[in-house]
Amino acid sequence: MVARVIPVEDFDLVIFGGTGDLARRKILPGLFRRYLSGQMPVESRIIGAARSDIDSDGYRTMIKEAILEFGGEESQDSNGLDAFLAQIEYVPIDAKGEGGWVELAELVRNDVVQAFYFSVAPSLFGDLAERLHRHKIASATSRIVVEKPFGRDLESARKLNDVLALHFDEGQIYRIDHYLGKETVQNLMAVRFGNVLFEPLWNNHYVDHIQITVAETVGVGGRGSYYDKSGAMRDMVQNHLMQLLCLIAMEPPSQFGADEVRDEKLKVIRALEPIMPHHIVRGQYENSANGPSYREDAENPRSHTESFVAMKCHISNWRWSGVPFYLRTGKRLKARTSEIAVVFKPLGHSIFEGQEEQQNILAIHLQPNEGIDLQVTIKEPGPGGMRLVNVPLDMTFAEALGDSDVEVTDAYERLIMDVIRGNQTLFMRGDEVEAAWGWTDPIIEGWEARNDVPKTYSAGSSGPDDALMLLHRDGRKWREIKG
Ligand code: NAP
């Protein structure tokens, strides 16, 4: 089955920070793929803006190089690339200065969808919003896209929300969490709410516990000084892991609309119980034969910042009372993998010998390979009596849908196209972000008040032993981290 491509309306997309790493590595290669798939109308334009004093030709050369480097196989389509580049312009602009705004105002059209991507440090959001408004470039229907980190605590997140709210309504603000743009995350909602099979089991009567793992093999080298002020809790848990937790735990929304979905996610965050200090483990990687330690990477020999967190959370509502949600994330772990596992309770009574250990598990894999499988127990084929095995039932049905033709859309591409369509379902609302900080702030403040020292762990391991104990004490174990 060939993926259906629905063209979007004509648009002008201005990328502030258009010369930066994110624009070159993700945003523009993603837009190029959408262009090749026929989703970007020929009348649409992308306008890069940053301080670098280059002209549009210089910018096109920069973007061509970036697409050739980061664009994957499709970037070899040189005719397509030249045609795509013809739709790109550049304006030198300092977010804090006055130059360039008049030129930008002349370029951006009023009769097409207008989107402004703030791919710059959050400290510039206020300057950009104010100038877009003052120079009458943005209108009441323009959309703005903002990147993580959205604050570093509740207070700073509130300030960012307030500064944006001076010039834009909530319905115009698209806060990106690229985990929500993944195909499988949307498939998770389709599986949950599009079938009669799962929802009746999706509660504390049938679910034993849920594990969410986001493991990386890379360290913080290269961005150590930024990361050292942040840590895994701010960098990963407050946004990505909590968003995944919300999607797994939320009640069915009345319809698949932006506010309906986000209202339900917000209720989950508000129902999270405060976390007990002994239900959370912080870790920091040590040096090893294949790389430096966290402290060396961060160039801070006394750093107490965590590069790993594991925790046990509880959601205080009827559906989830008594069901632990185990979350973990870390750098320099054994393999790069992100997955959610819904582990169902063992059978109350089995008529088969030796089946006590087997539990159904719904595993949602986000990376490196996206997919969903359900571990079910079946009879091992062949003679020799009733021997049972656990096998994964592949629920991505790539073959049934003709996987060779189904396009794998990158999270950024999908989200940018959602901005152009005006669909906020997969973006975080301001109150969600604030509620998430409201839950993580006391945890971080507790560490700071006690001057908590993270446990060390070896690079290439599954994290500190204490994280294993977190489940072991409950008679459970983490799923293996494997790529
Ligand atoms: P970056 O490589 O440092 O790029 C920053 C961009 O901002 C450059 O284009 C820079 O260009 C421009 N800029 C800086 N000061 C400016 C000013 N006063 N006026 C106008 N433009 C200015 O950063 P990045 O990695 O692309 O990240 C951009 C944002 O996305 C950050 O908020 C970051 O946290 C977030 N983010 C990045 C990634 C990623 O993978 N890179 C992932 C998630 C989130 P000039 O120097 O030419 O002005």
Side-chain angles (χ1 to χ4, degrees):
M1 193 185 73
V2 178
R4 215 153 44 100
V5 173
I6 303 166
V8 294
E9 284 176 64
D10 289 349
F11 63 85
D12 278 354
L13 170 66
V14 179
I15 307 173
F16 292 107
T19 57
D21 176 71
L22 183 67
R24 285 181 298 109
R25 231 163 23 87
K26 287 283 179 191
I27 304 173
L28 282 143
L31 283 164
F32 178 48
R33 279 192 292 273
R34 291 295 86 212
Y35 172 85
L36 288 179
S37 73
Q39 215 174 19
M40 185 171 148
V42 284
E43 294 299 322
S44 295
R45 266 179 327 185
I46 298 163
I47 302 162
R51 288 169 307 179
S52 300
D53 193 15
I54 49 175
D55 59 13
S56 289
D57 278 341
Y59 186 60
R60 287 186 202 111
T61 305
M62 176 191 280
I63 297 312
K64 183 172 189 171
E65 282 166 11
I67 290 175
L68 289 173
E69 187 175 352
F70 304 114
E73 274 175 35
E74 299 93 330
S75 62
Q76 304 312 319
D77 180 348
S78 58
N79 289 339
L81 186 50
D82 287 341
F84 173 71
L85 292 169
Q87 291 183 236
I88 299 183
E89 308 278 341
Y90 178 83
V91 184
I93 277 187
D94 183 343
K96 289 180 169 300
E98 295 307 323
W101 292 98
V102 174
E103 290 76 0
L104 185 66
E106 279 166 10
L107 263 181
V108 176
R109 297 167 293 174
N110 292 324
D111 54 351
V112 296
V113 172
Q114 290 177 347
F116 301 95
Y117 201 129
F118 291 6
S119 182
V120 294
S123 56
L124 297 175
F125 289 178
D127 296 298
L128 290 176
E130 188 272 324
R131 281 163 177 76
L132 281 171
H133 183 74
R134 177 153 50 88
H135 290 276
K136 299 192 170 44
I137 301 172
S139 70
T141 55
S142 309
R143 291 145 205 180
I144 58 166
V145 186
V146 294
E147 270 294 338
K148 84 165 205 183
F150 200 84
R152 56 173 282 108
D153 53 20
L154 176 56
E155 195 190 336
S156 53
R158 269 194 188 136
K159 280 189 184 148
L160 282 179
N161 276 335
D162 290 348
V163 109
L164 294 177
L166 288 175
H167 306 290
F168 296 95
D169 292 339
E170 184 59 39
Q172 298 180 274
I173 305 172
Y174 292 71
R175 295 176 195 77
I176 283 214
D177 184 323
H178 68 272
Y179 270 66
L180 298 185
K182 289 186 177 288
E183 175 78 17
T184 307
V185 166
Q186 287 156 78
N187 199 6
L188 163 65
M189 290 192 270
V191 166
R192 260 195 84 181
F193 303 129
N195 295 286
V196 76
L197 291 178
F198 295 99
E199 247 343 81
L201 307 181
W202 213 261
N203 55 50
N204 56 4
H205 298 295
Y206 295 99
V207 175
D208 179 74
H209 72 278
I210 289 175
Q211 297 187 17
I212 303 180
T213 298
V214 177
E216 296 174 281
T217 48
V218 292
V220 302
R223 59 192 280 261
S225 59
Y226 158 76
Y227 189 92
D228 203 43
K229 293 187 206 79
S230 158
M233 192 72 174
R234 288 189 171 101
D235 193 50
M236 298 296 291
V237 177
Q238 185 274 344
N239 38 56
H240 307 315
L241 275 84
M242 285 183 74
Q243 285 294 318
L244 298 179
L245 171 77
C246 287
L247 292 176
I248 277 284
M250 72 182 183
E251 295 298 316
S254 61
Q255 54 177 300
F256 192 56
D259 274 327
E260 288 81 356
V261 170
R262 298 184 305 175
D263 285 346
E264 296 306 335
K265 281 161 60 197
L266 180 62
K267 284 186 209 160
V268 174
I269 303 176
R270 290 192 174 148
L272 274 169
E273 290 178 12
I275 211 153
M276 314 273 211
H278 62 284
H279 285 169
I280 188 157
V281 177
R282 303 169 75 217
Q284 200 183 68
Y285 57 85
E286 299 176 298
N287 66 353
S288 66
N290 61 356
S293 67
Y294 172 82
R295 289 177 175 194
E296 286 163 334
D297 275 344
E299 296 177 17
N300 180 0
R302 300 160 74 84
S303 173
H304 286 174
T305 302
E306 76 285 353
S307 58
F308 175 98
V309 186
M311 61 176 87
K312 175 163 111 169
C313 315
H314 281 284
I315 297 171
S316 210
N317 62 19
W318 274 38
R319 186 187 283 263
W320 295 118
S321 176
V323 178
F325 285 71
Y326 299 101
L327 274 49
R328 72 179 156 169
T329 182
K331 305 229 169 253
R332 303 224 52 207
L333 296 175
K334 207 170 164 185
R336 176 173 171 261
T337 182
S338 298
E339 66 155 40
I340 307 169
V342 181
V343 182
F344 291 92
K345 290 190 172 170
L347 286 179
H349 167 76
S350 175
I351 60 169
F352 305 110
E353 251 176 61
Q355 204 200 351
E356 296 73 28
E357 297 292 306
Q358 289 170 351
Q359 283 167 276
N360 295 119
I361 299 175
L362 182 71
I364 300 126
H365 310 281
L366 303 175
Q367 59 187 23
N369 300 313
E370 293 201 46
I372 301 184
D373 63 65
L374 178 66
Q375 289 278 339
V376 290
T377 300
I378 58 163
K379 177 190 170 297
E380 195 177 304
M386 198 64 160
R387 290 187 312 274
L388 301 183
V389 282
N390 248 7
V391 291
L393 182 68
D394 182 355
M395 296 183 49
T396 33
F397 299 116
E399 263 176 41
L401 298 174
D403 65 340
S404 56
D405 285 333
V406 173
E407 234 183 314
V408 181
T409 313
D410 177 81
Y412 270 96
E413 298 168 37
R414 179 191 311 279
L415 293 173
I416 295 169
M417 287 302 134
D418 277 359
V419 174
I420 305 298
R421 284 190 203 98
N423 183 350
Q424 289 185 305
T425 312
L426 300 174
F427 297 83
M428 295 178 293
R429 210 168 51 190
D431 52 1
E432 267 186 86
V433 178
E434 290 186 15
W437 281 121
W439 186 73
T440 52
D441 270 6
I443 304 172
I444 298 169
E445 283 160 12
W447 293 336
E448 286 170 357
R450 307 194 285 280
N451 200 17
D452 188 79
V453 182
K455 312 280 179 204
T456 53
Y457 62 94
S458 315
S461 71
S462 303
D465 289 345
D466 287 33
L468 304 180
M469 287 305 295
L470 197 62
L471 271 77
H472 194 68
R473 279 200 300 268
D474 295 345
R476 302 185 174 104
K477 61 178 196 251
W478 288 108
R479 282 163 61 82
E480 196 188 338
I481 295 181
K482 54 180 183 201

